[in-house]
Amino acid sequence: MTLHLSAGEYVQRLRRIGLRPGERLVNNILHCGDAAVEPLIELATSVLLLYEEPPVAYAPIHALRLLGELRPLRMVEPLLKSVDAEFKSRGSAREIWQYEVPQMIGRIGAAVVAPLWSYIEDPACTPVERDGALLALAYATVIDKDVRDPIIAELYRRLMQSDDRTLNAGIVRAIAYLGLADMYGDIMARYRAGAVNQERMPASVARQMLLSQKTSGLANDAKLSLWERYDRFGPFPEPEDMNFDDDEE
């Protein structure tokens, strides 16, 4: 007999599914469409779970990635605010989650560009939230090619004109993720003018990222499929990851 669960019940199964969900559970959640969005946002922003023992620690990652498949605009603000949550320590689950938040937002594409600029301009937006929004703009350029040139032009304009050193550090990071080596001279000039907060984005890091082929395609990570993302970024097996419930019914 087939058991039909609600969207929230399917999402809650992500708490015990382990390193990666199976295709059946993923399809069940995605098939719920909009009904799955709020439960997924709630789970994806439950950042304290990232410090729990596996398999619970991986639940926010699973939820975040499924939001990246559904791409609802209303996930943007809660995800960005969660990036600025107080973390207890670094850890593999937290690092995966934090790296992928702006990617999942950027996957929305053109529709997210205006909301992100508005968010960046909001005085209530914290520096960490602003950095996340700027990176999301960088990721959006590889999802929707039509927004690439306008975003790059606006990033450059703001960097050249802004006196906000913290904002400029976030802009430089976004430009570096795009591998825009042709802007190297102008960016270094802004550093020499003292216009970039080096505690948030050191000139040496900007130089390496802008000129290295290894980092020039970072923004392309947003284009990875769900399963490519698991293959490349994990989470990967640890001894404590072996005990979990793989029943997806």
Side-chain angles (χ1 to χ4, degrees), residues 112-131:
V112 82
V113 174
L116 285 174
W117 283 126
S118 296
Y119 198 86
I120 290 165
E121 293 166 352
D122 186 345
C125 180
T126 70
V128 174
E129 292 167 16
R130 187 178 293 119
D131 285 353

Side-chain angles (χ1 to χ4, degrees), residues 42-60:
E42 182 179 356
L43 185 55
T45 57
S46 297
V47 295
L48 292 180
L49 294 182
L50 296 166
Y51 298 96
E52 297 289 338
E53 293 296 319
V56 176
Y58 304 126

Side-chain angles (χ1 to χ4, degrees), residues 82-184:
S82 294
V83 169
D84 204 16
E86 183 176 350
F87 289 100
K88 296 189 293 185
S89 63
R90 300 192 68 83
S92 60
R94 173 206 163 175
E95 289 173 0
I96 294 171
W97 179 90
Q98 197 162 13
Y99 180 62
E100 294 193 16
V101 165
Q103 291 183 42
M104 299 305 103
I105 294 172
R107 282 174 62 83
I108 297 173
V112 82
V113 174
L116 285 174
W117 283 126
S118 296
Y119 198 86
I120 290 165
E121 293 166 352
D122 186 345
C125 180
T126 70
V128 174
E129 292 167 16
R130 187 178 293 119
D131 285 353
L134 287 164
L135 286 179
L137 284 170
Y139 286 119
T141 67
V142 302
I143 298 299
D144 192 330
K145 297 297 185 182
D146 289 341
V147 304
R148 178 178 173 85
D149 289 345
I151 287 176
I152 291 174
E154 184 62 14
L155 289 171
Y156 180 81
R157 184 191 70 79
R158 291 181 183 232
L159 178 62
M160 294 300 107
Q161 297 180 4
S162 174
D163 294 324
D164 186 333
R165 298 174 68 249
T166 298
L167 172 64
N168 288 345
I171 293 174
V172 169
R173 184 178 294 104
I175 291 173
Y177 268 58
L178 289 168
L180 301 176
D182 58 323
M183 294 188 185
Y184 174 79

